[in-house]
Amino acid sequence: MDIDSFLIQAQTLGRGLINSFLTPWLLYQLVIIVLLYGVAHVLKGRVEPLFEERARAIKGHPGLLRVVVALLRRVHWILFVVLLLIALGVMRSVTWPSRSYLISIVLSLAVVWLFVSVLSRVIRNRLVARMISWFAWIYAALVILGIDGRVAGFLDGLAMPIGEMRLSALIVIKAAVLLIATIWIAVIIGRYLDELVQKSEELTPSIRVLVGKVAKIGLVLMAAAIALSSVGIDLTALTVFSGAVGLGLGFGLQKVISNFISGIIILLDKSIKPGDTISLEGTFGWIRELRARFVSVVTRDGREYLIPNEDFITGRVINWSFSDELVRLDVNFGVSYDADPHLVSKLAIAAASSVGRVEADRTPVCWLTGFGDSSLDFVLRFWIHDPQKGLTNIRGQVLLALWDTFKQNNINIPYPHREVIMKTPVSVEKPGVVD
């Protein structure tokens, strides 16, 4: 159907509608519809509070609660549908069915709108939910009005050739709708498969993440190919176009692609995995999640750093729990020259062993490392098995244990001091005294 014939049919349909509006029974139906809509709005204020109290008692079922809330927000539409249904039944029982045709159409449109708007609440994205609900309702309205074939013919007439392929507005709309539907289904299936993989205890955390990401990406690509093929788009015809676009995207998204490939390498070589404690360029924390572009690292102060995957490939990373969670820490301290270094070593080992997080299977060691300017210098070395709980706090606990132990055994920690030797005598005068 070309544009001229469609315009002629549209004019004919418009004249028919104008002539229909001039009939008395059509005006009667319009008045009835407006009155019923007003009555539904009035009844809404009384009915909605009653159901709202019962809805608040629903707990532990978020999906059901979301649907109930959607129904509560559309109480006037429910009442409007019920009133239209009653009016339609009464009019068909007392007069000809043709005199209630408009009420029947409005009832069908209202039922479809109510169903679509409530069902779209399953989608959490508000924008996508609204788009889907409007598209679904418009299509249903065209079918109910019986003009879907004419509109489809008009949209099919708006076409342009691309090589050997004919691309029309109708094909674009069908492709968009199918793409949204298939990708949405693919994402849901991908999340379900990812949850199943994450529950598997036979796979390592890195392999779980890798399998989940590959499944999601593969399902989305498959859904896109199925949607485009189902509307008659030849994917081979888009090879040149996709190659040019891919080249441009390759240069523009170089860093994004680099981070994506780096993420795959990280998952394959298992250098880091969720739960590992790492240090990277002054950032110390544990890995919460591995994403396609970045790694989420949570520090001890609650901050979450989103570090690009490329930094873990090119930078120097300290993985405190790569092959073994046991970590050795050093604490340096000094005591007075009056103290016995043998006794100091024993007391320091006992003090470190008294701290709960210090590994009991590996006895701490304490070594004399040098004779300082004002103290005997020691290093105390001990092991912990939970670096994700922090390093500064355990060092602080060990230092406090050393302080308490030295206080109990009269071992002094000296202050730094300097001796100043004057080569020539210096006279000191008392303030306020004049010779």
Side-chain angles (χ1 to χ4, degrees), residues 191-203:
R191 289 177 181 173
Y192 176 72
L193 294 177
D194 189 25
E195 292 178 357
L196 292 180
V197 171
Q198 296 301 325
K199 294 178 181 178
S200 177
E201 298 180 355
E202 299 178 357
L203 302 176

Side-chain angles (χ1 to χ4, degrees), residues 172-183:
V172 172
I173 294 175
K174 287 182 178 180
V177 173
L178 286 175
L179 272 176
I180 294 174
T182 54
I183 291 177

